[in-house]
Amino acid sequence: MHKSLHILIVVAVGWSSLVISFAQADQWTPQQIASADLARNLAGWSDVEKDVVLHTNLVRMYPSVYLEIEAKPWDQPPRYSPLDKSTSYYQGLLRELRSRPSIAPLQPSEELKASASCFAAAQGQTSQTGHDRSGTGCPELNTGENCDYGMDTGKDIVMHLLVDEDVPSRGHRKNILDPSYISLGVGHASHQRYGKVTVQEFSHRE
């Protein structure tokens, strides 16, 4: 229920009856959440996939706020070694979010979602990693793609990709923050080697 967003949500009757209690100033407003949470009511998207859309859009639309609420407090899940926050990858992310302008949210795409889910499932079954779709039977409809392994919450997935540790090009971060992309599909599946795999597919078209 969005515990990672530092909000308390009480559901009365579905998502239309949310009561959100804010006790501190360093929390997302209902308006900010609503503007970014564009996949929440879509059928066929898992909660994790919806949360990936939410966090991707929050960091695009409110980079300096995301810096304070999500990026600075974030650490890797307990089963991983603690994040080294002195690295150029993490410190570079903080600098970038501090100075970036707001950009438009990504619209959820059913076509991209189907493609991402196909590829995530195929990789999960074979333990493969990377972007090679040979032999998977999955269409390649995207103009940009991120693959994440091991993380199993929307916030952890997006933060892991934003930090982009040991990826000199920062390609995953660049995809998430690319203002030319307008649509997004997400696939999240079990992975025989890493436990979970998440695929983000980005496109310049709706």
Side-chain angles (χ1 to χ4, degrees):
M1 301 297 292
H2 302 310
K3 292 179 181 178
S4 62
L5 297 179
H6 307 292
I7 60 178
L8 173 64
I9 297 179
V10 180
V11 180
V13 183
W15 285 99
S16 62
S17 301
L18 290 180
V19 177
I20 305 180
S21 173
F22 293 86
Q24 302 175 8
D26 58 344
Q27 297 170 328
W28 296 106
T29 67
Q31 293 78 15
Q32 288 170 327
I33 294 296
S35 68
D37 202 14
L38 303 183
R40 188 59 54 189
N41 296 319
L42 297 180
W45 295 62
S46 71
D47 287 341
V48 172
E49 291 163 353
K50 293 174 182 179
D51 286 346
V52 169
V53 174
L54 171 61
H55 277 272
T56 298
N57 283 338
L58 285 173
V59 73
R60 286 171 64 90
M61 299 172 73
Y62 311 105
S64 61
V65 182
Y66 200 90
L67 167 67
E68 299 298 332
I69 296 179
E70 309 293 352
K72 284 185 176 180
W74 186 73
D75 203 347
Q76 298 195 116
R79 63 183 178 278
Y80 296 93
S81 59
L83 176 67
D84 182 354
K85 294 191 174 183
S86 68
T87 67
S88 61
Y89 295 94
Y90 180 78
Q91 291 298 319
L93 173 64
L94 300 190
R95 287 193 299 272
E96 186 164 358
L97 294 183
R98 192 174 291 118
S99 60
R100 283 192 66 88
S102 172
I103 58 177
L106 298 172
Q107 298 297 318
S109 164
E110 297 294 345
E111 185 178 54
L112 291 177
K113 193 263 185 292
S115 176
S117 293
C118 178
F119 191 41
Q123 285 207 336
Q125 293 168 5
T126 62
S127 299
Q128 291 181 328
T129 60
H131 301 280
D132 184 5
R133 298 193 175 212
S134 302
T136 65
C138 299
E140 189 163 6
L141 306 175
N142 63 77
T143 46
E145 179 176 85
N146 287 346
C147 296
D148 183 80
Y149 303 91
M151 300 296 167
D152 56 9
T153 72
K155 176 180 176 176
D156 287 342
I157 291 162
V158 173
M159 276 300 307
H160 194 224
L161 291 166
L162 285 169
V163 173
D164 231 1
E165 190 78 35
D166 296 327
V167 181
S169 69
R170 275 68 162 185
H172 302 106
R173 184 190 307 174
K174 289 178 180 177
N175 279 339
I176 290 173
L177 299 175
D178 188 334
S180 70
Y181 289 136
I182 62 175
S183 58
L184 172 68
V186 182
H188 181 72
S190 296
H191 192 278
Q192 290 186 14
R193 181 178 178 186
Y194 291 106
K196 295 293 181 181
V197 54
T198 304
V199 177
Q200 286 183 305
E201 295 197 10
F202 304 84
S203 180
H204 297 118
R205 61 185 179 85
E206 294 185 16

